[in-house]
Every structure is written in C-alpha cells, then in structure tokens.
Amino acid sequence: MEIASKIDHTNLNPLATSADIKKLCDEARSFHFASVCVNPSFVSFAAQNLKDSDVKVCTVIGFPLGADTIDNKAASAAVAVDEGASEIDFVQNLAFVKEKKWDDLEDEIRAVVDSSNSVYTQDERKIVVKVILETCFLSDDEIVKCCQIAKKAGADFVKTSTGFASAANSGATEHAVSLMRKTVGDDFGVKASGGIRTKSDVLKMLAAGANRIGTSSGIKIISEK
C-alpha cells in the first residue's frame, strides 16, 4: 500500500519558522505526500515552494477552536485559496452542534465551501473542503448528524480532530473513523488526524475507513519497515 500519497504532511506548530515550512515542503515534494498542511500565514510561502510539484497546499481555518464567525471563516478561506491553498480544513462551530442549531451549521459549512470555490484561479484548482468535527467532544449521534450535514452542504471530507483539543483521547479513533465512513458512504472523504504517529496507527485508520491521514510524523511513518 502506498501510504505517502494519503498523508497530509503537517506542521501547525505556532513556533514554526519559514525554515521549518521550507523543510516540510522539501520533504513533501521528495516523498510525494498528498499535501502540506500549514497555518494560513504560510500558505503563499508553501505554494511558492511547491510550485510545479504534485503536492497540494492545505491550510486550517477557524483553528483550533472553531469559534470564529461564519463570515470570518468564509473570508479567511477565500484569502487562503487566493494565496495558493487547494485544500481547506476548517473547524466547525461546536456550539452549533451542542445547541442542535443544525441549520446554522449547514449555513457555516456551505459558506466556507462556496467562498473557497468562488475565488478565480488561473489553474482552475478544485478546492477540497474538509470539516473538522473534533470528535472527542461529540456523541456518536452528533458525529452522525455532523457528517450528514457536511455532505449535504457540499463539503468534500469530514475530519476527526484538530490535535489541539484538551480532552482525553482527543485524537483520531478507529471507532470515530468507522462511524464517519459508515455515515458518509464510499464516495466521500474521511480524514483521520490527531495522535497518528506510527505506520501501525496509519494502517488501523485506513482499515477503519479513512482515505486521508493528517500527521506531523510523516517521515517517521514512511521510514518504518
């Protein structure tokens, strides 16, 4: 199984420097990772470094709390696409979920999807939008409902976690990934992220139904025998 092509090679460390992101991009280019996932301030820099490569630039919006306004999330996504991002991972508003404001959640996801794909790009990139559920805070019923809404609102992926949550077991779990895959079906993306550090972790998540992996341990993982 070709693992590298399923990995978003990630550095969201707030202390990351340009040198760190350059290294991330060089590694992604060499090993043909699916994308690099960087903070918004590094999107333009990463896009320039990965020009003419097969590696996409992914960034995060509303990260890591998900508590920004719908308008700000949509505007930030549009800016990121304009600066070179092809993939947007954004954190849903958890208050909407807990208050069962499902129409508001759908409006938020649709706003980010629409704004991401409204930006004129000469290379006509297809913008992939991933909704970060932060599953450690959700019940199974809430996970199912969020997946249904993400699909209805035009997103491309649901994603387990930010990796920044303070809750116990805050990363990806096989149970959550399996539930997400069962809910969205075979024609939709599921990204497992958070606490994935070994090849064994990756294989478990892929077996559970993930088709994309977010990790900052990509080089270590693909170097394992």
Side-chain angles (χ1 to χ4, degrees):
M1 179 184 296
E2 178 53 55
I3 290 178
S5 65
K6 299 182 184 300
I7 289 177
D8 290 343
H9 194 36
T10 303
N11 188 339
L12 298 172
N13 189 323
L15 299 179
T17 65
S18 296
D20 296 324
I21 302 305
K22 175 66 163 60
K23 180 173 181 287
L24 190 81
C25 292
D26 289 346
E27 291 169 346
R29 184 191 292 269
S30 295
F31 292 100
H32 301 282
F33 289 120
S35 79
V36 294
C37 188
V38 299
N39 282 310
S41 60
F42 282 115
V43 165
S44 180
F45 180 79
Q48 185 60 38
N49 275 272
L50 290 169
K51 188 177 181 180
D52 301 323
S53 82
D54 59 351
V55 181
K56 307 298 184 184
V57 176
C58 174
T59 195
V60 289
I61 299 297
F63 194 87
L65 301 179
D68 208 344
T69 66
I70 294 175
D71 286 347
N72 281 349
K73 286 180 180 178
S76 295
V79 169
V81 171
D82 188 53
E83 292 184 348
S86 293
E87 302 198 353
I88 300 293
D89 289 17
F90 91 94
V91 187
Q92 67 177 2
N93 189 316
L94 290 164
F96 290 161
V97 180
K98 293 303 179 181
E99 295 180 39
K100 302 187 186 308
K101 294 183 176 179
W102 304 122
D103 289 343
D104 289 339
L105 182 61
E106 182 177 342
D107 287 345
E108 175 181 72
I109 297 170
R110 195 178 303 279
V112 173
V113 169
D114 289 348
S115 66
S116 297
N117 285 284
S118 68
V119 179
Y120 173 75
T121 55
Q122 290 184 336
D123 54 0
E124 296 182 346
R125 281 169 284 152
K126 166 65 176 80
I127 308 305
V128 172
V129 175
K130 311 186 197 98
V131 183
I132 305 175
L133 305 188
E134 203 70 292
T135 53
C136 63
F137 294 130
L138 306 181
S139 68
D140 283 4
D141 286 346
E142 288 169 337
I143 290 172
V144 168
K145 186 67 173 179
C146 289
C147 288
Q148 291 171 339
I149 291 174
K151 192 168 184 179
K152 181 181 178 183
D156 303 282
F157 272 77
V158 283
K159 175 179 170 181
T160 58
S161 320
T162 64
F164 282 72
S166 59
N169 302 315
S170 59
T173 66
E174 292 172 80
H175 172 73
V177 169
S178 178
L179 181 59
M180 291 159 71
R181 173 54 67 200
K182 180 180 178 181
T183 303
V184 299
D186 295 333
D187 60 345
F188 199 80
V190 175
K191 178 175 174 179
S193 183
I196 300 173
R197 300 184 179 91
T198 68
K199 185 175 181 180
S200 175
D201 292 338
V202 171
L203 294 176
K204 288 176 182 177
M205 294 303 160
L206 294 176
N211 60 322
R212 189 76 70 87
I213 303 294
T215 180
S216 57
S217 301
I219 299 301
K220 174 181 177 295
I221 288 167
I222 63 173
S223 298
E224 291 182 30
K225 294 183 179 180

